[in-house]
Amino acid sequence: MKNVAIIMGGYSSEYKISLTSGNVVYTYLDKTKFLPYRIHIFKDKWVCVTDDEQEYPIHKNDFSVTIGAEKITFDVVFNAIHGTPGEDGLMQAYFELLGIPQTSCDYYQAALTFNKRDLLSVLKPYGIKTATSFYLNLGDNINASEIIEKVGLPCFVKPNKSGSSFGISKVKTVDELLPAIENAYKEDNEIIIESFLDGMEVSVGVINYKGKITVLPITEIVSENDFFDYEAKYLGKSSEITPARISKDLQLKIETVAKRAYEVLKMKGFSRSEFIIVDGEPHMLEMNTIPGLTTESILPQQAREAGISLPDLFENAIELALIKS
């Protein structure tokens, strides 16, 4: 049987969600086929956590662990880290150097998709529509009137490289702009300010399933809050309706755009893209390459609707990583 390292945790505000995702993978992975190990990745420690909650340090030189007298190496890594260093390319590059296959996309695609500004800039020439954007780096002069003139009101202020809706604000007046920018800078030193897109929000999972790029059933997002913020996403303040209540024509249009983005970027593993539908046209907001994998997360919901169980979903990701290695 293959030794599988399930990496979880990370260095960002998303670490708790990542731990939940990683533990779901650990629980549902078929233990008659794989030997899974929970690996917690934090700034101050990389440890293998056993079922009795004992911690054993990871040897970073070869990503192994010694438990008792046994040195354990891993055949494959299941990446369940949301945010840095699992979703921004750092762990992908590390495993590439060590020659250990892993389930997520390659390091370049991870770094690109984690940067909303760069992702959308790359996809625009391929006809993928986006909101009007204004970019700021920490230390830049902030000209509120210039920003509002370009993106209008209301608008969204977001950290450029962050997930799980941390640091995002919907700005309705000029007076709200500076506090929103300061809030976003708490998460990242780059900010993206986007025009408000008035329409239905949908989330689309695209995966490689058994060697074929597969668009999963589309989820319609109905937030109880003003937008799909952290509370809406993780604390039950939204309805996630799968499949989305849309026409067949619109479904095909969204599926085509989501698959095109996956193919253009030469993606591997999981992806979950967010779109706002404006006048029948999907506008991309972002692409997540390590989406939530809890039993109630959107991508597992979509997989279930497609007839793919969690054990099948996780096993497929591992088998594809091993084939491509």
Side-chain angles (χ1 to χ4, degrees), residues 87-89 105-115 118 161:
E87 200 167 5
D88 58 0
C105 60
D106 292 335
Y107 61 89
Y108 171 74
Q109 284 79 4
L112 176 67
T113 53
F114 198 65
N115 187 308
D118 293 354
K161 305 185 299 295

Side-chain angles (χ1 to χ4, degrees), residues 188-228:
D188 190 19
N189 59 7
E190 298 176 5
I191 287 176
I192 181 170
I193 304 171
E194 293 180 326
S195 60
F196 172 63
L197 297 174
D198 190 8
M200 174 190 290
E201 182 168 354
V202 296
S203 184
V204 192
V206 183
I207 62 174
N208 184 330
Y209 188 66
K210 299 187 184 300
K212 180 183 178 183
I213 296 174
T214 302
V215 183
L216 298 173
I218 297 166
T219 298
E220 176 186 346
I221 308 295
V222 182
S223 176
E224 295 176 18
N225 294 348
D226 207 15
F227 63 98
F228 196 43

Side-chain angles (χ1 to χ4, degrees), residues 239-259:
S239 298
E240 297 159 2
I241 302 164
T242 309
R245 300 168 297 183
I246 55 178
S247 68
K248 187 67 175 178
D249 286 346
L250 181 54
Q251 176 190 332
L252 290 173
K253 186 178 287 188
I254 297 167
E255 288 174 348
T256 300
V257 174
K259 186 177 182 182

Side-chain angles (χ1 to χ4, degrees), residues 281-294:
E281 294 292 333
H283 291 62
M284 180 177 271
L285 299 178
E286 63 180 3
M287 179 186 286
N288 301 283
T289 59
I290 313 288
L293 295 173
T294 71

Side-chain angles (χ1 to χ4, degrees), residues 310-321:
L310 284 180
D312 285 344
L313 185 69
F314 301 151
E315 180 178 338
N316 177 75
I318 290 170
E319 294 292 354
L320 286 174

